Amino acid sequence: MALDTAKKAQIIKQFQKTEGDTGSSEVQIALLSTRIADLTEHLKTFKKDHSSRLGLLKLVGQRRRLMRYLKRTNRESYNKLVADLGIRDNI
C-alpha cells in the first residue's frame, strides 16, 4: 500500500532537516511509520491477507533498524522523533 504523493510530501516537509532532505533517518522512519499504520488498518479488515502481513513485518524490521541507528548516532533527534510519532522506545 503506497502513500499518495500529497501525504508523502507533507510527511517529508514535516520531518526534513534541510530543504530537499528526503533520505535522512528521521524522514525514512516517519514514512515507514505511516505505511505501517495504513497496513495495520488494512489487516484489521482483511485478517487472512498473509502477504500483506509479511510486508508489514518487513517494514517493522526496517523501521526498527533505522531507529536503532538513529538512537546510536543522534540521541536528541531520536527522542524528538519518538515523541512526535508516538512510537514506543523499546530499542
Side-chain angles (χ1 to χ4, degrees):
M1 312 250 170
L3 296 173
D4 60 337
T5 310
K7 191 172 184 181
K8 189 173 183 179
Q10 177 190 14
I11 294 168
I12 290 172
K13 187 174 181 181
Q14 181 181 357
F15 289 97
Q16 66 187 358
K17 294 179 185 178
T18 60
E19 189 65 33
D21 173 26
T22 58
S24 67
S25 298
E26 293 89 344
V27 172
Q28 291 183 47
I29 291 169
L31 289 172
L32 284 172
S33 296
T34 307
R35 287 182 62 196
I36 288 169
D38 290 347
L39 263 177
T40 303
E41 289 302 314
H42 169 79
L43 287 171
K44 286 180 182 176
T45 306
F46 303 100
K47 297 182 187 326
K48 294 185 180 184
D49 189 357
H50 298 295
S51 59
S52 291
R53 188 173 310 277
L54 178 64
L56 174 67
L57 291 175
K58 287 183 179 183
L59 290 177
V60 169
Q62 185 177 1
R63 182 179 72 175
R64 184 176 174 87
R65 287 190 301 274
L66 279 168
M67 287 178 65
R68 191 178 305 136
Y69 167 77
L70 186 62
K71 186 175 184 177
R72 187 176 63 239
T73 58
N74 190 352
R75 182 64 65 107
E76 297 165 1
S77 178
Y78 171 80
N79 290 333
K80 182 180 181 301
L81 186 70
V82 167
D84 288 346
L85 293 176
I87 301 173
R88 289 183 310 200
D89 182 16
N90 61 353
I91 295 177

PDB file of all heavy atoms in Angstrom, residues 66-91:
ATOM      1  N   LEU A  66      16.454   1.250  11.433  1.00  0.00           N
ATOM      2  CA  LEU A  66      16.714   2.680  11.289  1.00  0.00           C
ATOM      3  C   LEU A  66      16.657   3.398  12.638  1.00  0.00           C
ATOM      4  O   LEU A  66      17.463   4.288  12.913  1.00  0.00           O
ATOM      5  CB  LEU A  66      15.701   3.310  10.332  1.00  0.00           C
ATOM      6  CG  LEU A  66      15.980   3.136   8.847  1.00  0.00           C
ATOM      7  CD1 LEU A  66      14.767   3.551   8.030  1.00  0.00           C
ATOM      8  CD2 LEU A  66      17.192   3.934   8.428  1.00  0.00           C
ATOM      9  N   MET A  67      15.713   3.012  13.481  1.00  0.00           N
ATOM     10  CA  MET A  67      15.602   3.639  14.798  1.00  0.00           C
ATOM     11  C   MET A  67      16.803   3.292  15.670  1.00  0.00           C
ATOM     12  O   MET A  67      17.301   4.136  16.417  1.00  0.00           O
ATOM     13  CB  MET A  67      14.303   3.222  15.476  1.00  0.00           C
ATOM     14  CG  MET A  67      13.086   3.872  14.858  1.00  0.00           C
ATOM     15  SD  MET A  67      11.541   3.358  15.603  1.00  0.00           S
ATOM     16  CE  MET A  67      11.728   4.012  17.240  1.00  0.00           C
ATOM     17  N   ARG A  68      17.283   2.076  15.571  1.00  0.00           N
ATOM     18  CA  ARG A  68      18.466   1.673  16.330  1.00  0.00           C
ATOM     19  C   ARG A  68      19.685   2.505  15.896  1.00  0.00           C
ATOM     20  O   ARG A  68      20.462   2.986  16.720  1.00  0.00           O
ATOM     21  CB  ARG A  68      18.745   0.185  16.129  1.00  0.00           C
ATOM     22  CG  ARG A  68      19.780  -0.365  17.070  1.00  0.00           C
ATOM     23  CD  ARG A  68      20.019  -1.844  16.886  1.00  0.00           C
ATOM     24  NE  ARG A  68      18.785  -2.611  16.993  1.00  0.00           N
ATOM     25  CZ  ARG A  68      18.444  -3.595  16.155  1.00  0.00           C
ATOM     26  NH1 ARG A  68      19.228  -3.930  15.149  1.00  0.00           N
ATOM     27  NH2 ARG A  68      17.321  -4.248  16.312  1.00  0.00           N
ATOM     28  N   TYR A  69      19.810   2.705  14.586  1.00  0.00           N
ATOM     29  CA  TYR A  69      20.904   3.523  14.055  1.00  0.00           C
ATOM     30  C   TYR A  69      20.790   4.963  14.541  1.00  0.00           C
ATOM     31  O   TYR A  69      21.771   5.563  14.997  1.00  0.00           O
ATOM     32  CB  TYR A  69      20.886   3.485  12.524  1.00  0.00           C
ATOM     33  CG  TYR A  69      21.759   4.539  11.898  1.00  0.00           C
ATOM     34  CD1 TYR A  69      23.141   4.389  11.852  1.00  0.00           C
ATOM     35  CD2 TYR A  69      21.201   5.699  11.371  1.00  0.00           C
ATOM     36  CE1 TYR A  69      23.938   5.367  11.301  1.00  0.00           C
ATOM     37  CE2 TYR A  69      21.991   6.675  10.819  1.00  0.00           C
ATOM     38  CZ  TYR A  69      23.364   6.504  10.784  1.00  0.00           C
ATOM     39  OH  TYR A  69      24.149   7.484  10.234  1.00  0.00           O
ATOM     40  N   LEU A  70      19.590   5.531  14.464  1.00  0.00           N
ATOM     41  CA  LEU A  70      19.388   6.915  14.871  1.00  0.00           C
ATOM     42  C   LEU A  70      19.648   7.087  16.371  1.00  0.00           C
ATOM     43  O   LEU A  70      20.249   8.082  16.789  1.00  0.00           O
ATOM     44  CB  LEU A  70      17.975   7.382  14.519  1.00  0.00           C
ATOM     45  CG  LEU A  70      17.670   8.849  14.747  1.00  0.00           C
ATOM     46  CD1 LEU A  70      18.569   9.720  13.886  1.00  0.00           C
ATOM     47  CD2 LEU A  70      16.212   9.131  14.427  1.00  0.00           C
ATOM     48  N   LYS A  71      19.239   6.134  17.169  1.00  0.00           N
ATOM     49  CA  LYS A  71      19.461   6.211  18.616  1.00  0.00           C
ATOM     50  C   LYS A  71      20.949   6.173  18.927  1.00  0.00           C
ATOM     51  O   LYS A  71      21.424   6.872  19.822  1.00  0.00           O
ATOM     52  CB  LYS A  71      18.748   5.048  19.310  1.00  0.00           C
ATOM     53  CG  LYS A  71      18.805   5.113  20.822  1.00  0.00           C
ATOM     54  CD  LYS A  71      17.978   4.009  21.437  1.00  0.00           C
ATOM     55  CE  LYS A  71      17.929   4.114  22.949  1.00  0.00           C
ATOM     56  NZ  LYS A  71      17.074   3.084  23.529  1.00  0.00           N
ATOM     57  N   ARG A  72      21.686   5.389  18.163  1.00  0.00           N
ATOM     58  CA  ARG A  72      23.120   5.257  18.392  1.00  0.00           C
ATOM     59  C   ARG A  72      23.882   6.509  17.955  1.00  0.00           C
ATOM     60  O   ARG A  72      24.853   6.911  18.596  1.00  0.00           O
ATOM     61  CB  ARG A  72      23.636   4.040  17.624  1.00  0.00           C
ATOM     62  CG  ARG A  72      25.060   3.671  17.886  1.00  0.00           C
ATOM     63  CD  ARG A  72      25.467   2.391  17.161  1.00  0.00           C
ATOM     64  NE  ARG A  72      25.395   2.552  15.718  1.00  0.00           N
ATOM     65  CZ  ARG A  72      24.648   1.816  14.903  1.00  0.00           C
ATOM     66  NH1 ARG A  72      23.904   0.844  15.391  1.00  0.00           N
ATOM     67  NH2 ARG A  72      24.638   2.010  13.602  1.00  0.00           N
ATOM     68  N   THR A  73      23.435   7.162  16.882  1.00  0.00           N
ATOM     69  CA  THR A  73      24.184   8.283  16.319  1.00  0.00           C
ATOM     70  C   THR A  73      23.713   9.645  16.800  1.00  0.00           C
ATOM     71  O   THR A  73      24.522  10.558  16.933  1.00  0.00           O
ATOM     72  CB  THR A  73      24.120   8.251  14.779  1.00  0.00           C
ATOM     73  OG1 THR A  73      22.765   8.291  14.372  1.00  0.00           O
ATOM     74  CG2 THR A  73      24.806   7.019  14.241  1.00  0.00           C
ATOM     75  N   ASN A  74      22.407   9.814  17.053  1.00  0.00           N
ATOM     76  CA  ASN A  74      21.885  11.135  17.411  1.00  0.00           C
ATOM     77  C   ASN A  74      20.733  10.959  18.391  1.00  0.00           C
ATOM     78  O   ASN A  74      19.566  10.894  18.000  1.00  0.00           O
ATOM     79  CB  ASN A  74      21.430  11.872  16.142  1.00  0.00           C
ATOM     80  CG  ASN A  74      21.104  13.313  16.400  1.00  0.00           C
ATOM     81  OD1 ASN A  74      21.063  13.759  17.540  1.00  0.00           O
ATOM     82  ND2 ASN A  74      20.860  14.045  15.328  1.00  0.00           N
ATOM     83  N   ARG A  75      21.044  10.887  19.666  1.00  0.00           N
ATOM     84  CA  ARG A  75      20.066  10.576  20.702  1.00  0.00           C
ATOM     85  C   ARG A  75      18.975  11.645  20.798  1.00  0.00           C
ATOM     86  O   ARG A  75      17.813  11.338  20.992  1.00  0.00           O
ATOM     87  CB  ARG A  75      20.788  10.419  22.043  1.00  0.00           C
ATOM     88  CG  ARG A  75      19.926  10.056  23.232  1.00  0.00           C
ATOM     89  CD  ARG A  75      19.277   8.693  23.073  1.00  0.00           C
ATOM     90  NE  ARG A  75      20.236   7.629  23.055  1.00  0.00           N
ATOM     91  CZ  ARG A  75      20.435   6.774  24.027  1.00  0.00           C
ATOM     92  NH1 ARG A  75      19.739   6.841  25.115  1.00  0.00           N
ATOM     93  NH2 ARG A  75      21.332   5.823  23.904  1.00  0.00           N
ATOM     94  N   GLU A  76      19.342  12.939  20.669  1.00  0.00           N
ATOM     95  CA  GLU A  76      18.357  14.019  20.792  1.00  0.00           C
ATOM     96  C   GLU A  76      17.301  13.925  19.692  1.00  0.00           C
ATOM     97  O   GLU A  76      16.102  14.051  19.946  1.00  0.00           O
ATOM     98  CB  GLU A  76      19.052  15.372  20.736  1.00  0.00           C
ATOM     99  CG  GLU A  76      20.008  15.616  21.872  1.00  0.00           C
ATOM    100  CD  GLU A  76      20.938  16.774  21.595  1.00  0.00           C
ATOM    101  OE1 GLU A  76      20.830  17.395  20.524  1.00  0.00           O
ATOM    102  OE2 GLU A  76      21.779  17.056  22.453  1.00  0.00           O
ATOM    103  N   SER A  77      17.758  13.706  18.474  1.00  0.00           N
ATOM    104  CA  SER A  77      16.841  13.592  17.339  1.00  0.00           C
ATOM    105  C   SER A  77      15.946  12.364  17.494  1.00  0.00           C
ATOM    106  O   SER A  77      14.756  12.406  17.168  1.00  0.00           O
ATOM    107  CB  SER A  77      17.642  13.509  16.043  1.00  0.00           C
ATOM    108  OG  SER A  77      16.788  13.354  14.955  1.00  0.00           O
ATOM    109  N   TYR A  78      16.520  11.287  18.015  1.00  0.00           N
ATOM    110  CA  TYR A  78      15.757  10.065  18.246  1.00  0.00           C
ATOM    111  C   TYR A  78      14.630  10.304  19.252  1.00  0.00           C
ATOM    112  O   TYR A  78      13.483   9.930  19.017  1.00  0.00           O
ATOM    113  CB  TYR A  78      16.697   8.964  18.749  1.00  0.00           C
ATOM    114  CG  TYR A  78      15.994   7.720  19.217  1.00  0.00           C
ATOM    115  CD1 TYR A  78      15.542   6.780  18.297  1.00  0.00           C
ATOM    116  CD2 TYR A  78      15.770   7.482  20.567  1.00  0.00           C
ATOM    117  CE1 TYR A  78      14.884   5.639  18.726  1.00  0.00           C
ATOM    118  CE2 TYR A  78      15.118   6.350  20.992  1.00  0.00           C
ATOM    119  CZ  TYR A  78      14.683   5.431  20.066  1.00  0.00           C
ATOM    120  OH  TYR A  78      14.023   4.305  20.481  1.00  0.00           O
ATOM    121  N   ASN A  79      14.947  10.953  20.359  1.00  0.00           N
ATOM    122  CA  ASN A  79      13.939  11.216  21.387  1.00  0.00           C
ATOM    123  C   ASN A  79      12.827  12.113  20.863  1.00  0.00           C
ATOM    124  O   ASN A  79      11.652  11.900  21.166  1.00  0.00           O
ATOM    125  CB  ASN A  79      14.590  11.834  22.628  1.00  0.00           C
ATOM    126  CG  ASN A  79      15.462  10.842  23.367  1.00  0.00           C
ATOM    127  OD1 ASN A  79      15.238   9.647  23.307  1.00  0.00           O
ATOM    128  ND2 ASN A  79      16.481  11.343  24.043  1.00  0.00           N
ATOM    129  N   LYS A  80      13.187  13.117  20.069  1.00  0.00           N
ATOM    130  CA  LYS A  80      12.190  14.017  19.492  1.00  0.00           C
ATOM    131  C   LYS A  80      11.282  13.257  18.524  1.00  0.00           C
ATOM    132  O   LYS A  80      10.064  13.418  18.529  1.00  0.00           O
ATOM    133  CB  LYS A  80      12.877  15.170  18.777  1.00  0.00           C
ATOM    134  CG  LYS A  80      11.925  16.189  18.187  1.00  0.00           C
ATOM    135  CD  LYS A  80      12.701  17.302  17.504  1.00  0.00           C
ATOM    136  CE  LYS A  80      11.794  18.357  16.934  1.00  0.00           C
ATOM    137  NZ  LYS A  80      10.851  17.872  15.959  1.00  0.00           N
ATOM    138  N   LEU A  81      11.878  12.399  17.702  1.00  0.00           N
ATOM    139  CA  LEU A  81      11.108  11.633  16.726  1.00  0.00           C
ATOM    140  C   LEU A  81      10.148  10.665  17.412  1.00  0.00           C
ATOM    141  O   LEU A  81       8.987  10.538  17.012  1.00  0.00           O
ATOM    142  CB  LEU A  81      12.057  10.873  15.799  1.00  0.00           C
ATOM    143  CG  LEU A  81      11.419  10.141  14.638  1.00  0.00           C
ATOM    144  CD1 LEU A  81      10.901  11.143  13.620  1.00  0.00           C
ATOM    145  CD2 LEU A  81      12.408   9.205  13.998  1.00  0.00           C
ATOM    146  N   VAL A  82      10.606   9.998  18.455  1.00  0.00           N
ATOM    147  CA  VAL A  82       9.753   9.061  19.187  1.00  0.00           C
ATOM    148  C   VAL A  82       8.564   9.795  19.799  1.00  0.00           C
ATOM    149  O   VAL A  82       7.426   9.311  19.756  1.00  0.00           O
ATOM    150  CB  VAL A  82      10.577   8.313  20.264  1.00  0.00           C
ATOM    151  CG1 VAL A  82       9.681   7.592  21.238  1.00  0.00           C
ATOM    152  CG2 VAL A  82      11.528   7.333  19.601  1.00  0.00           C
ATOM    153  N   ALA A  83       8.819  10.977  20.328  1.00  0.00           N
ATOM    154  CA  ALA A  83       7.735  11.765  20.922  1.00  0.00           C
ATOM    155  C   ALA A  83       6.752  12.244  19.857  1.00  0.00           C
ATOM    156  O   ALA A  83       5.530  12.203  20.059  1.00  0.00           O
ATOM    157  CB  ALA A  83       8.309  12.952  21.673  1.00  0.00           C
ATOM    158  N   ASP A  84       7.262  12.689  18.709  1.00  0.00           N
ATOM    159  CA  ASP A  84       6.395  13.198  17.638  1.00  0.00           C
ATOM    160  C   ASP A  84       5.521  12.110  17.030  1.00  0.00           C
ATOM    161  O   ASP A  84       4.346  12.326  16.732  1.00  0.00           O
ATOM    162  CB  ASP A  84       7.229  13.853  16.536  1.00  0.00           C
ATOM    163  CG  ASP A  84       7.828  15.178  16.964  1.00  0.00           C
ATOM    164  OD1 ASP A  84       7.384  15.718  18.008  1.00  0.00           O
ATOM    165  OD2 ASP A  84       8.719  15.685  16.261  1.00  0.00           O
ATOM    166  N   LEU A  85       6.099  10.938  16.831  1.00  0.00           N
ATOM    167  CA  LEU A  85       5.361   9.860  16.163  1.00  0.00           C
ATOM    168  C   LEU A  85       4.566   8.999  17.141  1.00  0.00           C
ATOM    169  O   LEU A  85       3.715   8.217  16.723  1.00  0.00           O
ATOM    170  CB  LEU A  85       6.328   8.967  15.381  1.00  0.00           C
ATOM    171  CG  LEU A  85       7.012   9.614  14.179  1.00  0.00           C
ATOM    172  CD1 LEU A  85       8.021   8.653  13.568  1.00  0.00           C
ATOM    173  CD2 LEU A  85       5.985  10.035  13.142  1.00  0.00           C
ATOM    174  N   GLY A  86       4.856   9.091  18.415  1.00  0.00           N
ATOM    175  CA  GLY A  86       4.145   8.271  19.389  1.00  0.00           C
ATOM    176  C   GLY A  86       4.558   6.807  19.338  1.00  0.00           C
ATOM    177  O   GLY A  86       3.744   5.919  19.564  1.00  0.00           O
ATOM    178  N   ILE A  87       5.820   6.568  19.058  1.00  0.00           N
ATOM    179  CA  ILE A  87       6.345   5.205  18.977  1.00  0.00           C
ATOM    180  C   ILE A  87       6.934   4.840  20.326  1.00  0.00           C
ATOM    181  O   ILE A  87       7.529   5.680  21.009  1.00  0.00           O
ATOM    182  CB  ILE A  87       7.450   5.107  17.894  1.00  0.00           C
ATOM    183  CG1 ILE A  87       6.891   5.526  16.537  1.00  0.00           C
ATOM    184  CG2 ILE A  87       8.008   3.708  17.820  1.00  0.00           C
ATOM    185  CD1 ILE A  87       7.948   5.614  15.473  1.00  0.00           C
ATOM    186  N   ARG A  88       6.796   3.581  20.720  1.00  0.00           N
ATOM    187  CA  ARG A  88       7.410   3.132  21.965  1.00  0.00           C
ATOM    188  C   ARG A  88       8.921   3.123  21.841  1.00  0.00           C
ATOM    189  O   ARG A  88       9.482   2.793  20.793  1.00  0.00           O
ATOM    190  CB  ARG A  88       6.937   1.720  22.306  1.00  0.00           C
ATOM    191  CG  ARG A  88       5.509   1.653  22.738  1.00  0.00           C
ATOM    192  CD  ARG A  88       5.158   0.259  23.109  1.00  0.00           C
ATOM    193  NE  ARG A  88       5.582  -0.651  22.025  1.00  0.00           N
ATOM    194  CZ  ARG A  88       5.104  -1.861  21.860  1.00  0.00           C
ATOM    195  NH1 ARG A  88       4.243  -2.354  22.684  1.00  0.00           N
ATOM    196  NH2 ARG A  88       5.504  -2.613  20.865  1.00  0.00           N
ATOM    197  N   ASP A  89       9.587   3.446  22.906  1.00  0.00           N
ATOM    198  CA  ASP A  89      11.044   3.451  22.947  1.00  0.00           C
ATOM    199  C   ASP A  89      11.510   2.152  23.567  1.00  0.00           C
ATOM    200  O   ASP A  89      11.810   2.091  24.750  1.00  0.00           O
ATOM    201  CB  ASP A  89      11.531   4.653  23.753  1.00  0.00           C
ATOM    202  CG  ASP A  89      13.045   4.744  23.799  1.00  0.00           C
ATOM    203  OD1 ASP A  89      13.715   4.079  22.991  1.00  0.00           O
ATOM    204  OD2 ASP A  89      13.563   5.470  24.665  1.00  0.00           O
ATOM    205  N   ASN A  90      11.539   1.096  22.770  1.00  0.00           N
ATOM    206  CA  ASN A  90      11.923  -0.210  23.324  1.00  0.00           C
ATOM    207  C   ASN A  90      13.079  -0.820  22.555  1.00  0.00           C
ATOM    208  O   ASN A  90      13.192  -2.027  22.444  1.00  0.00           O
ATOM    209  CB  ASN A  90      10.726  -1.164  23.335  1.00  0.00           C
ATOM    210  CG  ASN A  90      10.187  -1.428  21.952  1.00  0.00           C
ATOM    211  OD1 ASN A  90      10.604  -0.814  20.989  1.00  0.00           O
ATOM    212  ND2 ASN A  90       9.247  -2.324  21.855  1.00  0.00           N
ATOM    213  N   ILE A  91      13.947   0.004  22.048  1.00  0.00           N
ATOM    214  CA  ILE A  91      15.108  -0.500  21.301  1.00  0.00           C
ATOM    215  C   ILE A  91      16.310  -0.517  22.203  1.00  0.00           C
ATOM    216  O   ILE A  91      16.576   0.358  22.939  1.00  0.00           O
ATOM    217  CB  ILE A  91      15.362   0.358  20.044  1.00  0.00           C
ATOM    218  CG1 ILE A  91      14.189   0.192  19.108  1.00  0.00           C
ATOM    219  CG2 ILE A  91      16.645  -0.030  19.379  1.00  0.00           C
ATOM    220  CD1 ILE A  91      14.253   1.023  17.880  1.00  0.00           C
TER     221      ILE A  91
END
